[in-house]
Amino acid sequence: ISALSTPLNGLYAAGGPTATGSLRLVKHFRGKQLLGQMDLYDLLLRGVREGIEHLEPGDTILVPTVGPLVAVAGMVRRPAIYELLADTQLTNVLEMAGGVPVSASMDEIKVERIEAHTKRVTLNVKLPGGAGERPLQDIVGSFWVKDGDRVTVAPILPYSDKTIYLEGHV
C-alpha cells in the first residue's frame, strides 16, 4: 500500500473484516499507543470519515470480534443484520435500516427476543394510530432492543384487516 494510506485503505487491501469481525469498532495502533478508532457504519451509512491518521511502518489495525447483533426484516429500506455498540433503541435500529417506507404498517412492530439460554418470546410493540408525518422517535418511543432480537415491520395489507384466511384440508 502507498505511504499515504489510511487504516481504511489497509483494511480494504486485506480484504475487509470477515463475517465475525466488527464493523463498529476498528482500532489503529502505533506500537502500544491507540491512535484512533473507526466506526465503519458511519462511513457505510452516512459517508462520514473523521480524523483518520495515515499508516506508518509497523502500525497495527485491530478488528475485534463482532458485538451484539439485531436482525431487521420486512418493510424497511435496508433489511439486514446490524451490530449494536451499546444500549440501543428500536428507533436507532430502524434508522440504521434506512427507515420505513410509506407502505409499512406502523400499527405494530414484531420483535422476537431470546431470553438468555432459555426461550424465545415474541413482543408486539404497539404504536399509536395516526402516525402521519411525525418523526420515527415520536412514533416508536423508547423501546430498547437487545442482542439476538429479530425486528419485523409488516406491510400494509392489500385487504381489510378484518379478513380471515383459512388454509389446509378444510
Side-chain angles (χ1 to χ4, degrees):
I1 57 177
S2 92
L4 298 175
S5 294
T6 65
L8 194 58
N9 299 119
L11 192 60
Y12 179 77
T18 63
T20 59
S22 175
L23 292 174
R24 301 303 307 260
L25 187 65
V26 176
K27 297 179 181 182
H28 176 198
F29 287 97
R30 183 162 295 142
K32 292 184 179 181
Q33 179 187 7
L34 176 64
L35 290 181
Q37 298 183 86
M38 292 181 292
D39 182 355
L40 297 181
Y41 273 31
D42 283 340
L43 178 66
L44 295 171
L45 298 177
R46 297 177 196 91
V48 176
R49 283 181 48 180
E50 293 181 3
I52 298 177
E53 295 277 332
H54 288 286
L55 287 175
E56 291 185 8
D59 282 5
T60 303
I61 301 169
L62 173 69
V63 180
T65 56
V66 70
L69 299 172
V70 171
V72 182
M75 295 304 296
V76 292
R77 289 188 171 84
R78 286 188 298 263
I81 298 173
Y82 294 94
E83 183 180 359
L84 306 176
L85 274 179
D87 292 339
T88 306
Q89 292 184 350
L90 179 58
T91 303
N92 303 114
V93 172
L94 292 176
E95 286 172 359
M96 279 191 283
V100 292
V102 295
S103 57
S105 173
M106 293 303 289
D107 293 335
E108 183 175 282
I109 296 176
K110 184 173 85 171
V111 178
E112 293 179 37
R113 177 166 291 166
I114 297 173
E115 292 184 0
H117 309 290
T118 57
K119 62 182 176 182
R120 182 180 297 271
V121 296
T122 300
L123 307 169
N124 290 316
V125 181
K126 294 279 189 187
L127 304 175
E133 296 296 320
R134 294 187 332 198
L136 202 53
Q137 175 67 38
D138 292 348
I139 300 167
V140 177
S142 61
F143 183 86
W144 297 90
V145 293
K146 295 183 179 181
D147 185 19
D149 282 0
R150 296 171 73 184
V151 177
T152 306
V153 180
I156 294 174
L157 297 176
Y159 306 105
S160 169
D161 59 353
K162 296 179 183 173
T163 302
I164 297 173
Y165 297 94
L166 187 60
E167 294 182 9
H169 299 285
V170 292

